[in-house]
């Protein structure tokens, strides 16, 4: 019971306390601090994109500027180079007509009459031819004052200048007017472009007799200047391209011509009567004061752009201008490289950022898992702590309850002792009454018998006196029997109870009553399985069976059928054995049944029963931890039942006869 009660209360105590507190407070808040790693936010990517666009634009611009600057440096170098080569190449031809004009034969030819001249001509032609060959010019010719070519280095060739009139040519006009002339033009006979130098031939009086002209081809210059990715041109005073590394550009105009300029050019037949057309190009912007970016749609070559860096500087001679056009493809390539580099760097950075994000995310996940584990641990620890606290609490509660129970038990025991004490007094009272009654009568009888005996002695009737004395003796014996019964009732029962054979106890009782059973023809049925044991004390158990069997024999004595049956049940699951003794007697009187186990309750005639048998029996049985009950059977007769206690825990607890209850 103690255990059951404790369990019930344990459950109650547990329900009264929260078993697992929700994981609140310190651990969870601490955990939230670094649990979520969200990666790079959208604005981070947007900022990176803006940075990328800005950096790429700056890098592309920077690459462009650097490349164009380098190109400009190259252009300046080229201009220097071309100016120098122009000066050296053409400079050496510039002096040729002056030298030829000083030749006496040439002057003489111009001063001679037509007939004289005819004779002089072969020598002059030969001279001119020799000069032309030695100098390496295109042609050398002598022009009279009217502009007719009278002698020429190519006098004997199909396209000979001899006989042609060049009076309209500016170089001739300039030579006659100012002593020397110079211009780029296309040969009217040959149609071959060239540079013309002319010098006047003066007579003795200083008058201009005519002029000597040298035509120089610029083919060699052009092919020397030709460089991949570049174009080099020389523009004359009219703005017309006269030297060009691009053959189709020759004699195109770098600037728009007015109608008057066109007419003047036509008149001079400078460009062999060609309509000078403007070159197709567009200025895209100035780079610096010496360079500008131009788009030349006709200059597209395989893999090249039409965008050129254009630089110019005045030519060493005349009003010409040298121009170089430098392809910006290289700059474009530099731009692409810069762009690719920046893109690559950003791509690597972005990849690294992604990797870092992934890595940090993985770390965050790991931390999260660790945190979860830690929290679970915390929870577990909290739970364990709470459970331990609950258990400690329950334990303390149990201890308190045990103490309370012990106190209650002590109180109960004390109360019980009081009750027993009160019961004892009652029993003593009853006993006193019973004993008074039981002893008074024989005492009165003894008194009377003694008085009568004295009278018989006085009357000298010793026989009667002796008879009286014998009766006194018998009365004293019955009184002694009474006291011995009382002694048995009061006797301290044995203390130890053990497993005792029920069958043996029954056999003992049967032996005691053997003669009576036989004499009174009582049928005795005993159904007790061999080896059936009950927890009792051997001699006391025998006394109990003897008492019950004796009562049963008394009950059946006057009955028609005299049957007594004793039986024992199989031990139940807890080892309890039920013993019954039935008889075919009249049964127990109802008024007796209620007080059956009280002392001095008897229906038997005086001298046959004291009414102590069942009182003693019930007390012995209680001492066994067993219970005794009596009832009348439906089929007639009485049944006494003893429920023997189970072996085990009760043994030490209740196995001793409580001497305190002893009378
Ligand atoms: P006693 O045998 O001295 O009378 P007990 O205490 O043994 O004292 O019995 C008390 C009374 O119980 C008996 O007088 C009798 O009336 C009744 N009694 C006991 N056993 C039986 C029984 N087997 N059948 C009927 N009555 C019985």
């Amino acid at each position: 019971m103690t255990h059951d009660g404790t369990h019930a209360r344990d459950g109650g105590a547990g329900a009264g306390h929260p078993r697992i507190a929700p994981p609140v407070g310190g651990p969870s808040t601490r955990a939230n601090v670094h649990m979520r790693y969200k990666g790079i936010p959208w604005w981070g990517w947007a900022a990176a994109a803006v940075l990328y666009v800005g950096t790429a634009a700056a890098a592309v611009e920077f690459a462009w500027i650097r490349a164009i600057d380098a190109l400009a440096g190259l252009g300046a170098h080229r201009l220097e180079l071309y100016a120098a080569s122009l000066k050296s190449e053409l400079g050496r031809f510039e002096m040729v007509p002056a030298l030829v004009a000083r030749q006496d034969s040439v002057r003489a030819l111009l001063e001679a009459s037509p007939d004289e001249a005819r004779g002089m001509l072969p020598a002059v032609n030969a001279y001119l031819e020799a000069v032309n060959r030695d100098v390496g010019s295109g042609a050398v010719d002598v022009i009279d004052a009217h502009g007719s070519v009278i002698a020429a280095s190519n006098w004997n060739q199909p396209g000979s200048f001899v006989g042609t009139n060049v009076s309209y040519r500016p170089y001739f006009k300039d030579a006659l007017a100012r002593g020397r002339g110079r211009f780029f033009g296309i040969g009217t006979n040959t149609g071959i472009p060239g540079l013309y130098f002319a010098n006047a031939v003066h007579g003795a009086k200083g008058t201009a007799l005519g002029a000597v002209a040298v035509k120089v081809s610029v083919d060699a210059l052009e092919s020397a200047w030709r460089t991949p990715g570049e174009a080099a041109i020389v523009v004359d005073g009219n703005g017309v391209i006269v030297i060009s590394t691009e053959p189709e550009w020759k004699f195109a105009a770098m600037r728009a011509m007015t109608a008057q300029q066109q007419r003047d050019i036509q008149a001079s037949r400078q460009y062999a009567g060609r309509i000078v057309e403007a070159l197709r190009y567009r200025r895209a912007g100035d780079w610096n004061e010496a360079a500008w970016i131009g788009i030349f749609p006709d200059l597209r070559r395989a893999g090249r752009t039409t965008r050129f860096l254009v630089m110019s500087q005045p030519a060493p001679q005349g009003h010409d201008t040298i121009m170089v056009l430098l392809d910006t493809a290289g700059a474009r390539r530099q731009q692409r490289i810069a762009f690719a580099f920046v893109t690559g760097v950003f791509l690597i950075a972005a990849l690294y950022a992604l990797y870092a994000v992934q890595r940090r995310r993985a770390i965050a996940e790991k931390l999260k898992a660790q945190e979860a584990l830690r929290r679970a641990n915390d929870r577990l620890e909290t739970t364990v702590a709470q459970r331990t606290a609950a258990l400690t609490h329950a334990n303390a509660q149990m201890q308190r309850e045990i103490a309370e129970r012990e106190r209650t038990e002590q109180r109960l025991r004390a109360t019980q002792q009081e009750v027993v004490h009160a019961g004892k007094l009652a029993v003593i009272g009853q006993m006193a009454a019973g004993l008074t009654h039981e002893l008074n009568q024989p005492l009165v009888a003894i008194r009377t018998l003694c008085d009568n005996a004295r009278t018989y002695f006085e009357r000298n009737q010793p026989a009667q006196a002796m008879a009286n004395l014998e009766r006194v003796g018998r009365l004293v014996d019955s009184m002694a029997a009474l006291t011995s019964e009382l002694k048995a009732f009061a006797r301290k029962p044995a203390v130890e109870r053990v497993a005792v054979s029920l069958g043996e106890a029954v056999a003992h009782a049967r032996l005691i009553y053997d003669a009576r059973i036989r004499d009174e023809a009582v049928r005795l049925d005993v159904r007790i399985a061999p080896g059936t044991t009950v927890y009792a004390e051997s001699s006391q158990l025998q006394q109990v069976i003897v008492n019950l069997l004796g009562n049963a024999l008394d009950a059946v004595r006057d009955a028609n059928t005299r049957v007594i049956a004793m039986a024992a049940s199989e031990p139940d699951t807890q080892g309890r054995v039920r013993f019954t003794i039935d008889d075919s007697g009249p049964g127990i009187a109802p008024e007796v049944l209620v007080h059956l186990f009280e002392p001095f309750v008897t229906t038997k005639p005086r001298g046959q029963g004291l009414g102590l048998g069942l009182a003693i029996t019930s007390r012995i049985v209680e001492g066994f931890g067993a219970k005794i009950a009596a009832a009348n059977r439906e089929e007639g007769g009485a049944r006494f039942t003893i429920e023997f206690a189970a072996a085990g825990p009760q043994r030490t607890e209740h196995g001793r006869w409580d001497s305190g209850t002893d009378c």
Side-chain angles (χ1 to χ4, degrees):
M1 282 307 284
T2 307
H3 293 292
D4 291 349
T6 309
H7 278 305
R9 253 176 295 278
D10 189 22
H17 290 82
R19 283 170 185 271
I20 300 172
V24 291
S28 61
T29 25
R30 198 165 65 241
N32 288 338
V33 173
H34 55 83
M35 283 324 295
R36 291 291 303 154
Y37 179 68
K38 295 195 174 89
I40 296 172
W42 69 267
W43 51 261
W45 288 111
V50 168
L51 188 67
Y52 164 65
V53 169
T55 311
V60 163
E61 185 62 21
F62 179 70
W64 175 258
I65 289 167
R66 251 177 64 106
I68 296 296
D69 273 345
L71 215 54
L74 178 71
H77 176 69
R78 285 271 193 275
L79 284 175
E80 291 296 328
L81 199 71
Y82 295 161
S85 76
L86 202 61
K87 188 173 181 182
S88 67
E89 276 293 305
L90 302 183
R92 60 194 175 107
F93 295 109
E94 208 168 13
M95 300 308 294
V96 173
L99 292 170
V100 172
R102 288 183 184 277
Q103 273 296 317
D104 292 341
S105 59
V106 172
R107 192 181 306 125
L109 180 68
L110 286 170
E111 286 171 338
S113 63
D115 287 343
E116 288 169 349
R118 205 170 297 123
M120 296 163 75
L121 209 53
V124 174
N125 276 339
Y127 168 69
L128 293 179
E129 192 179 351
V131 167
N132 186 56
R133 188 178 57 246
D134 293 348
V135 172
S137 55
V140 182
D141 49 348
V142 176
I143 310 157
D144 69 9
H146 306 291
S148 290
V149 177
I150 53 172
S153 57
N154 57 3
W155 58 276
N156 53 353
Q157 287 172 20
S160 171
F161 297 166
V162 177
T164 53
N165 190 291
V166 294
S167 57
Y168 56 89
R169 293 279 206 171
Y171 65 87
F172 174 72
K173 287 182 180 170
D174 288 348
L176 284 194
R178 291 193 288 276
R180 59 197 313 196
R182 177 180 178 278
F183 96 138
F184 282 101
I186 300 171
T188 44
N189 289 5
T190 59
I192 297 166
L195 182 60
Y196 291 83
F197 297 103
N199 259 73
V201 181
H202 295 286
K205 296 178 190 143
T207 53
L209 303 172
V212 173
V214 174
K215 185 185 176 189
V216 180
S217 169
V218 289
D219 286 355
L221 216 56
E222 285 172 344
S223 54
W225 289 1
R226 210 161 273 144
T227 311
E230 293 178 20
I233 54 176
V234 175
V235 182
D236 69 7
N238 294 324
V240 176
I241 297 166
V242 289
I243 298 176
S244 172
T245 54
E246 304 298 313
E248 61 272 27
W249 282 9
K250 210 171 254 183
F251 306 111
M254 281 298 287
R255 54 173 185 256
M257 293 276 167
T258 62
Q260 183 56 48
Q261 284 172 321
Q262 282 285 2
R263 269 196 301 279
D264 290 349
I265 287 165
Q266 288 302 316
S268 70
R269 295 184 59 80
Q270 184 174 357
Y271 310 111
R274 288 188 191 187
I275 304 291
V276 175
E277 290 185 355
L279 184 72
R280 289 206 302 147
Y281 76 96
R282 184 165 60 80
R283 275 179 91 108
D286 291 336
W287 182 250
N288 54 35
E289 59 279 354
W292 48 277
I293 305 288
I295 294 163
F296 296 81
D298 300 328
L299 201 53
R300 186 190 288 279
R301 295 279 187 278
R304 287 201 275 164
T305 61
T306 57
R307 191 177 289 261
F308 289 82
L309 180 72
V310 185
M311 299 179 75
S312 56
Q313 79 172 45
Q317 302 97 347
H319 306 291
D320 304 335
T321 305
I322 309 171
M323 296 176 87
V324 282
L325 285 71
L326 300 150
D327 194 356
T328 58
R332 283 266 177 253
R333 200 163 45 248
Q334 293 291 320
Q335 280 185 308
R336 279 198 295 276
I337 288 168
F339 179 76
F341 177 75
V342 170
T343 305
V345 166
F346 267 83
L347 221 57
I348 288 166
L351 283 176
Y352 180 77
L354 278 175
Y355 164 75
V357 165
Q358 282 303 111
R359 209 177 114 79
R360 291 196 64 180
R361 190 165 286 155
I363 290 168
E365 288 294 320
K366 200 170 147 187
L367 282 175
K368 196 174 163 184
Q370 281 174 354
E371 190 57 39
L373 196 69
R374 201 182 57 70
R375 279 162 68 184
N377 259 343
D378 285 353
R379 263 205 304 277
L380 198 67
E381 276 171 22
T382 312
T383 309
V384 167
Q386 283 170 348
R387 287 280 164 86
T388 309
L391 272 178
T392 310
H393 180 80
N395 205 23
Q397 180 78 15
M398 205 166 79
Q399 295 292 343
R400 280 197 298 277
E401 281 170 10
I402 287 170
E404 180 60 30
R405 269 165 191 279
E406 279 173 350
R407 279 196 298 278
T408 308
E409 207 170 289
Q410 278 169 2
R411 275 202 302 275
L412 202 67
R413 203 181 287 275
T415 312
Q416 204 176 26
Q417 280 173 356
E418 282 168 19
V419 168
V420 166
H421 185 66
K424 264 193 218 167
L425 291 178
V427 167
I428 289 166
Q430 283 178 345
M431 277 179 72
L435 279 174
T436 309
H437 180 74
E438 289 293 330
L439 293 177
N440 252 354
Q441 288 203 348
L443 282 175
V444 169
I446 287 168
R447 177 78 212 168
T448 310
L449 285 170
C450 284
D451 287 347
N452 288 348
R454 197 191 301 136
T455 308
Y456 284 135
F457 277 122
E458 285 171 358
R459 287 180 192 167
N460 206 12
Q461 294 176 321
Q464 280 87 349
M466 282 303 285
N468 271 16
L469 287 174
E470 275 170 18
R471 287 181 63 191
V472 166
R474 281 198 300 275
L475 284 169
V476 168
D477 283 347
S478 77
M479 285 168 74
L482 176 65
T483 53
S484 84
E485 284 266 10
L486 277 171
K487 194 179 167 195
F489 180 73
R491 194 171 63 197
K492 242 183 209 174
V495 289
E496 201 65 40
R497 68 181 166 123
V498 292
V500 177
S501 168
L502 188 60
E504 277 179 19
V506 168
H508 172 82
R510 192 175 184 167
L511 200 67
I512 288 177
Y513 288 115
D514 189 44
R516 205 176 147 187
I517 292 164
R518 241 184 305 108
D519 293 349
E520 292 173 10
V522 176
R523 201 179 91 209
L524 193 64
D525 278 354
V526 178
R527 286 186 197 152
I528 297 169
T532 304
T533 56
V534 293
Y535 280 84
E537 195 281 324
S538 181
S539 63
Q540 288 184 348
L541 181 65
Q542 287 172 6
Q543 190 181 348
V544 166
I545 309 284
V546 165
N547 278 351
L548 293 177
L549 184 58
N551 279 349
L553 285 169
D554 289 345
V556 299
R557 187 169 46 208
D558 299 324
N560 291 332
T561 48
R562 291 185 282 276
V563 181
I564 298 172
M566 284 187 275
S569 69
E570 288 280 305
D572 68 5
T573 50
Q574 287 162 10
R576 287 184 295 228
V577 172
R578 202 157 59 95
F579 170 76
T580 53
I581 173 163
D582 298 352
D583 63 63
S584 58
I588 307 158
E591 67 277 6
V592 173
L593 195 58
V594 284
H595 303 289
L596 193 62
F597 297 106
E598 291 172 14
F600 304 110
V601 173
T602 181
T603 56
K604 290 176 188 168
R606 186 172 303 277
Q608 285 188 19
L610 276 174
L612 284 174
L614 286 178
I616 292 167
T617 296
S618 79
R619 297 194 66 186
I620 291 172
V621 166
E622 277 172 22
F624 293 163
K627 285 178 201 157
I628 186 164
N632 287 320
R633 296 188 301 142
E634 274 181 19
E635 57 267 44
R639 163 173 288 184
F640 283 82
T641 308
I642 302 175
E643 295 259 13
F644 283 99
Q650 293 94 330
R651 184 176 168 187
T652 51
E653 191 86 10
H654 303 288
R656 289 171 186 278
W657 184 264
D658 185 354
S659 58
T661 61
D662 189 15
C663 293

